[in-house]
Each structure stands twice: as structure tokens, then as C-alpha cells.
Amino acid sequence: MPMRCGIATAALALVLATAAHGQERSAHANYVLLCSGCHNVSGQGSEQGGVPTFPGSVGKIAHSDRGRTYMMHVPGVVSNSMSNAEIAAVMNYILDTWASEEGAKPFTAEEVTERRMAVIPDIVVERRELTYEMQDQGVEIAPYPWP
């Protein structure tokens, strides 16, 4: 419970600070507010919750064309209120924070716009197929617990 309270307090502080200054939130602030609820502030996700970890995985996914499209359709991206430019900034924050050594190219707002228009009927099936495709190429990514 104390950890949740601390995260909630930090998130509230970010929202209030942003509103007070009348500016867009930083990529870090957007990550904390809109992504850390599932992926945690540490990027570790939750195997029990079915949320993959970022370290050692997200950069590999971002190296794949299919993976980059997949990233634009995960529930937290599909359901948030950020602009495509803000999504690109958060994705780049994630890559810089947890995958800088993997050298994935940065996202642009234009790429985010294009990839979000792709139709992915079932994100669980897409992740499973992406995982198999990457394994066939000898690339291991974080486990995905959904069948």
C-alpha cells in the first residue's frame, strides 16, 4: 500500500505542476501518469498481470517493423489521450531508458500516426505471433503469459 500511495502522490504532483505551468507534460511525466500503472516506474511490468518487462526486450521489439506496429496497439497506447507526438516522445523515453544499448531508431509523430492506423484485431494474438516470429529469428524477448 505505501508504494501505491507514493506513486499516486508523485503522479498528482506531476499533474498539478503541469497544470500550474500551463505546459505539455514531459515524456517522463506522461510515462509515470499513463504507463507506470501497468509497466511500473521501473519498467519491470508484472508477469502475474500479463504485462511484459521493458529491460532486455522493448528495444528488440522496436527493431522489428511488426514490433513497432505492435507497440502502437498495446492497450495503454490505444486507450490514452496523448497526441501522436506525445506517444512518440514517450516511446523514445522508454527506449532511451530501457533499451539505449539496443539502438532502436526513435519514433516520430508521423510514424506513430501511420502505425496506429494499421488494423490489429487481437493484440494478444499479435503479440504471440510477434514472439514466435522473433524466436524464429533467434531473438528472445520478455515472456508473454497470455495463451
Side-chain angles (χ1 to χ4, degrees), residues 80-98:
N80 73 52
S81 60
M82 290 186 289
S83 69
N84 290 334
E86 289 171 312
I87 292 170
V90 170
M91 289 296 169
N92 294 332
Y93 167 81
I94 290 168
L95 292 174
D96 289 345
T97 304
W98 291 289

Side-chain angles (χ1 to χ4, degrees), residues 1-14 32-33 36-37 40-41:
M1 182 80 159
M3 180 184 259
R4 284 188 190 159
C5 185
I7 292 171
T9 302
L12 180 59
L14 286 169
V32 169
L33 292 170
S36 69
N40 297 305
V41 175

Side-chain angles (χ1 to χ4, degrees), residues 83-128:
S83 69
N84 290 334
E86 289 171 312
I87 292 170
V90 170
M91 289 296 169
N92 294 332
Y93 167 81
I94 290 168
L95 292 174
D96 289 345
T97 304
W98 291 289
S100 60
E101 72 285 351
E102 294 164 354
K105 71 177 183 173
F107 283 91
T108 65
E110 294 77 19
E111 179 185 10
V112 170
T113 301
E114 181 180 320
R115 290 185 185 278
R116 290 183 81 196
M117 290 188 318
V119 176
I120 296 184
D122 187 328
I123 195 65
V124 173
V125 169
E126 183 66 17
R127 172 58 189 245
R128 186 180 321 115

